[in-house]
Amino acid sequence: MTLLSTRGLSKSFAGLQAVSGVDLDLRQGEVRALIGPNGAGKTTLVGMICGRITPTSGQVMFDGREITRLPAHKRMLMGMAYTFQITSVFTGLSVAENVTLAARRRVPHSGLSDAVTTALRRVGLSEHVEQEAGDLSYGHQRLLEIAMGLVQGPRLLILDEPTQGLTEAEVDRFKALIRELAGETTILLIEHNMSVVMETADRVTVLNFGEVLAEGTPDEVRANAEVQAAYLGGD
């Protein structure tokens, strides 16, 4: 079953075409990686998918419903969760309080405590429950954001550069988490770390100059000469 589709999705800013005519289909339970050079339009594309950016043209469909003009908060209620490229935690609140706030709209009050505990355990932050979020390392703030997404029990989890700032051990833990989540939720992953992409994604979509350059399995994309020239540097 297709959970998310875009058709002809485009966005221009003051005459600059950031995204042009993107068609994308994500199957339920799929892990899809979105890769491409800096400035390729990746963050703009997911901004349109999650409702933070209004498309210039095109459509977004979620679970068979057109949501192109639906506000971001209503998409969250439908089961979308999005972590930002720049951390957006509440630095003055504790780790647990951040996750509790994220859970309030989606989790019954009676289950809040267990949901928060589980989300923090899954990302490896159980020992930081009472710590003020602003005192966490940058990498741990990234993991806290992921916990804030997970606790909502999303049908679609969009992760924008989630491993940026993580240590090698934390990246390995993140890979294990994505493998654990595979099939449980649909994941759209914007990521520059190619080992994460190759080891966790079912399929990969490559953007270049705002357009889809290639799409396929990790092995197919890695072997694509156009992708090597535009992004992988011939590796």
Side-chain angles (χ1 to χ4, degrees), residues 61-230:
M61 305 285 292
F62 186 72
D63 196 19
R65 175 183 172 187
E66 185 181 353
I67 60 167
T68 311
R69 305 293 167 182
L70 200 67
H73 70 276
K74 291 190 176 180
R75 299 187 198 203
M76 289 177 63
L77 293 174
M78 291 179 69
M80 283 193 190
Y82 176 55
T83 71
F84 300 91
Q85 189 172 13
I86 300 170
T87 55
S88 60
V89 300
F90 297 98
T91 55
L93 298 180
S94 73
V95 166
E97 286 170 334
N98 268 273
V99 181
T100 300
L101 276 176
R104 284 191 309 173
R105 287 186 175 179
R106 297 280 296 171
V107 181
H109 182 74
S110 60
L112 263 180
S113 180
D114 286 346
V116 169
T117 299
T118 299
L120 288 172
R121 175 187 55 76
R122 293 182 95 171
V123 302
L125 290 180
S126 295
E127 296 178 2
H128 300 270
V129 172
E130 300 302 328
Q131 188 172 349
E132 198 167 282
D135 293 336
L136 294 175
S137 68
Y138 179 78
H140 280 172
Q141 288 187 22
R142 303 294 295 165
L143 293 172
L144 174 55
E145 269 208 320
I146 295 170
M148 291 165 69
L150 284 178
V151 77
Q152 299 172 48
R155 300 183 66 194
L156 173 62
L157 178 61
I158 302 173
L159 302 172
D160 195 346
E161 301 286 0
T163 66
Q164 185 178 331
L166 299 190
T167 66
E168 188 173 339
E170 288 167 343
V171 170
D172 287 341
R173 188 183 191 103
F174 175 79
K175 292 176 187 175
L177 173 62
I178 296 301
R179 286 191 286 265
E180 179 186 328
L181 291 171
E184 178 181 322
T185 187
T186 305
I187 298 173
L188 180 58
L189 174 68
I190 302 176
E191 184 56 72
H192 280 295
N193 186 322
M194 293 311 295
S195 73
V196 173
V197 171
M198 295 300 165
E199 292 177 35
T200 64
D202 298 309
R203 292 181 65 79
V204 181
T205 298
V206 186
L207 279 191
N208 195 33
F209 297 112
E211 298 181 348
V212 175
L213 175 66
E215 193 170 274
T217 66
D219 286 341
E220 289 169 345
V221 165
R222 181 163 45 191
N224 185 298
E226 288 184 290
V227 175
Q228 290 179 11

